[in-house]
Amino acid sequence: MVVHERPLSPHATIYRWPLNAIMSILHRVTGIGLTVGAVLAVWWLLAASISAEYFHTVDGILTSFLGDLVLTGSLAALWYHCCNGIRHLVWDSGHGFEDSNVRISGWAGLAAAFILTAGTLVVL
């Protein structure tokens, strides 16, 4: 008797996730991640109002390599969340629900978020 070691029920690892599902999850994750960026911005502003020494300490942390990485991630999350939010606003109007339009708008949103993030970094 041959025993095959297969999952007894469908499992997430054997299916290719649709772009729309990935973008939906990423939209939620970036929404939560934006909170981190907002907390860092408030910390930076509060440090400026407390003292010059404390501001230099916080500014040093936020402009370090790790700080730049976190702030760049926050910027990317902001642009992605914005572009995907516009996509959802179009859907709220009752347009763009055809399979081809959903896929095209998904890739367009990802491309726009990438371009806007890169453009903002160039300007800064």
Side-chain angles (χ1 to χ4, degrees):
M1 182 164 134
V2 177
V3 176
H4 298 284
E5 295 197 22
R6 300 182 299 179
L8 297 176
S9 62
H11 194 268
T13 60
I14 63 172
Y15 292 109
R16 182 172 175 226
W17 285 35
L19 177 63
N20 204 37
I22 294 168
M23 291 189 69
S24 177
I25 293 166
L26 193 55
H27 187 78
R28 289 170 173 81
V29 169
T30 56
I32 294 167
L34 288 173
T35 305
V36 173
V39 167
L40 291 175
V42 168
W43 183 38
W44 186 71
L45 292 170
L46 282 174
S49 69
I50 292 173
S51 71
E53 296 82 24
Y54 187 56
F55 174 75
H56 289 300
T57 302
V58 173
D59 192 55
I61 292 169
L62 292 180
T63 56
S64 68
F65 175 75
L66 183 59
D68 283 343
L69 197 62
V70 169
L71 292 176
T72 300
S74 295
L75 178 66
L78 176 69
W79 281 124
Y80 173 79
H81 204 76
C82 178
C83 292
N84 203 41
I86 292 169
R87 182 175 177 233
H88 278 268
L89 285 174
V90 171
W91 286 353
D92 288 344
S93 72
H95 296 84
F97 284 116
E98 298 80 24
D99 284 340
S100 61
N101 287 345
V102 168
R103 190 164 179 77
I104 290 168
S105 68
W107 285 111
L110 286 171
F114 179 79
I115 291 167
L116 289 167
T117 301
T120 305
L121 290 173
V122 167
V123 170
L124 296 177

